[in-house]
Amino acid sequence: MSSSVPPPSAEMEAPQPAKDKPLPNPTAPVVDFPISSIPKNPLGEGRFIKTAAALIIGDEILNGNTLDRNSNYFARFCFENGIELQRIEVIADDELEIIEASRRLVQKYDFVITSGGIGPTHDDITYASLAKSFGQDLKYHDETIARMEEASRHRTWMSQQSEEQRTARKRMALFPEAGEVLFVASDIWVPVVRLEGKLCIFPGIPSLFQKLLDNLKPFLPLPAEDARPFRLQVFTPLPESSIAPFLTALQKRAKPENIRIGSYPLLQPGAHVALIGLNRERVKELGLEVEKELQGRILSAEETEA
């Protein structure tokens, strides 16, 4: 399945040249598309995103053919920007499932993303399903088509496509008519389409998903810096059963301060203890206590990213 929009340099597989007449391989043009202007806060003046959900769409995820990397990247994005990701769902390329899930999630959460199902093939039904979900017709977006053509004009196979193949390519610019079309990256023709001020539609290809999500930040009403949580992790060589009584008592003390504590066992002896809270200094104090009581060591940022 083509579950997502391909990168601007390659949408569909080019016709294979004859062995004695290889096609030229021209250099891809350098594109510098304009970025969309920042619209008004879709949640309303003074409001910001507090909760989020991810809807991962694709048969290939459910049947194990493709590893979902996008939900993990989105979870990291939410944490780093002070958003509480409360739900991740993976569903099939099924119109009724997409309609039901998208309506439910938009009603409940401030920020919802979909990933996958926006390519040119028959099973890429995300745009069409979401249009039905929110009572909209589909409409070709001329600017997206123009950018797609510009980014791909160096491809020899473009001129060799049949009318049916060209129509398939244009499906990638057939959006719910009332959606906001946000061009967030100057070197990518693919936009992020936002519906109901909350639901943002992304391709499933991880590299595209990540770049578009990162570049979407200026378009989102994110929490202020001081409203974003701080996470500190401590390694302890002790097994979880040995640290459980101490962590239970510590969580009871820290709960009134809205500090969460969790432990995560390792394959080798030991565990990581994570402390998360808005009060950075208090989290650090408790981290030192954990380090001392559990014969541990506070991990550096580099170690936690590894």
Side-chain angles (χ1 to χ4, degrees):
M1 160 188 169
S2 173
S3 64
S4 53
V5 177
S9 59
E11 283 93 23
M12 298 171 61
E13 187 173 351
Q16 294 298 310
K19 291 184 178 179
D20 58 339
K21 293 182 179 181
L23 291 176
N25 186 25
T27 303
V30 176
V31 294
D32 186 17
F33 297 124
I35 301 296
S36 296
S37 57
I38 306 297
K40 291 182 179 179
N41 185 340
L43 299 182
E45 193 63 33
R47 298 184 59 194
F48 61 87
I49 296 171
K50 296 180 181 179
T51 61
L55 184 60
I56 310 301
I57 301 170
D59 293 345
E60 71 280 11
I61 303 295
L62 292 171
N63 64 32
N65 187 59
T66 300
L67 176 65
D68 169 38
R69 303 180 189 277
N70 295 342
S71 59
N72 176 263
Y73 195 85
F74 184 59
R76 289 172 178 262
F77 176 90
C78 287
F79 183 85
E80 291 169 359
N81 289 283
I83 301 169
E84 185 177 357
L85 177 60
Q86 295 186 345
R87 192 166 189 85
I88 297 174
E89 294 189 17
V90 182
I91 62 174
D93 295 294
D94 180 272
E95 180 180 279
L96 293 180
E97 288 194 37
I98 295 172
I99 290 173
E100 185 280 327
S102 61
R103 287 176 178 172
R104 173 170 43 82
L105 296 178
V106 164
Q107 287 177 353
K108 189 171 183 180
Y109 303 104
D110 300 325
F111 179 36
V112 179
I113 62 105
T114 69
S115 165
I118 60 173
T121 60
H122 70 283
D123 52 355
D124 290 307
I125 62 171
T126 296
Y127 285 137
S129 299
L130 291 173
K132 288 186 178 181
S133 181
F134 300 105
Q136 301 179 26
D137 293 327
L138 289 168
K139 183 179 180 180
Y140 285 109
H141 192 259
D142 292 339
E143 176 63 20
T144 300
I145 293 174
R147 294 184 183 216
M148 182 196 307
E149 298 295 327
E150 174 63 20
S152 305
R153 61 183 169 82
H154 67 293
R155 295 288 175 179
T156 307
W157 53 265
M158 284 281 291
S159 62
Q160 300 175 349
Q161 286 193 321
S162 66
E163 183 61 31
E164 187 177 17
Q165 290 171 325
R166 287 192 290 271
T167 299
R169 290 187 72 244
K170 287 178 64 178
R171 288 185 71 231
M172 296 185 288
L174 188 58
F175 305 148
E177 62 177 352
E180 294 177 84
V181 180
L182 304 174
F183 294 104
V184 301
S186 62
D187 58 343
I188 298 177
W189 65 262
V190 185
V192 175
V193 179
R194 180 162 60 188
L195 304 177
E196 304 295 301
K198 291 184 174 184
L199 186 148
C200 292
I201 307 169
F202 286 86
I205 297 174
S207 58
L208 266 181
F209 177 92
Q210 293 171 16
K211 183 161 188 175
L212 291 172
L213 180 62
D214 289 341
N215 282 274
L216 186 66
K217 285 178 64 174
F219 297 83
L220 299 174
L222 297 173
E225 290 285 346
D226 59 5
R228 301 178 186 182
F230 171 69
R231 174 165 49 199
L232 183 144
Q233 296 192 63
V234 180
F235 166 75
T236 172
L238 303 176
E240 275 199 303
S241 56
S242 296
I243 67 177
F246 170 76
L247 293 183
T248 299
L250 183 63
Q251 179 63 86
K252 187 176 181 179
R253 282 194 286 124
K255 187 175 181 180
E257 301 176 75
N258 292 318
I259 295 175
R260 291 176 292 172
I261 298 168
S263 64
Y264 309 94
L266 305 173
L267 286 177
Q268 64 271 28
H272 284 168
V273 177
L275 301 93
I276 299 174
L278 293 176
N279 188 327
R280 178 182 292 259
E281 293 308 313
R282 182 58 177 150
V283 170
K284 288 181 177 180
E285 288 178 8
L286 293 177
L288 291 172
E289 183 179 343
V290 171
E291 182 180 49
K292 178 181 178 181
E293 294 294 330
L294 301 185
Q295 305 168 31
R297 176 175 59 84
I298 292 177
L299 299 177
S300 66
E302 292 74 19
E303 288 175 304
T304 59
E305 287 294 328

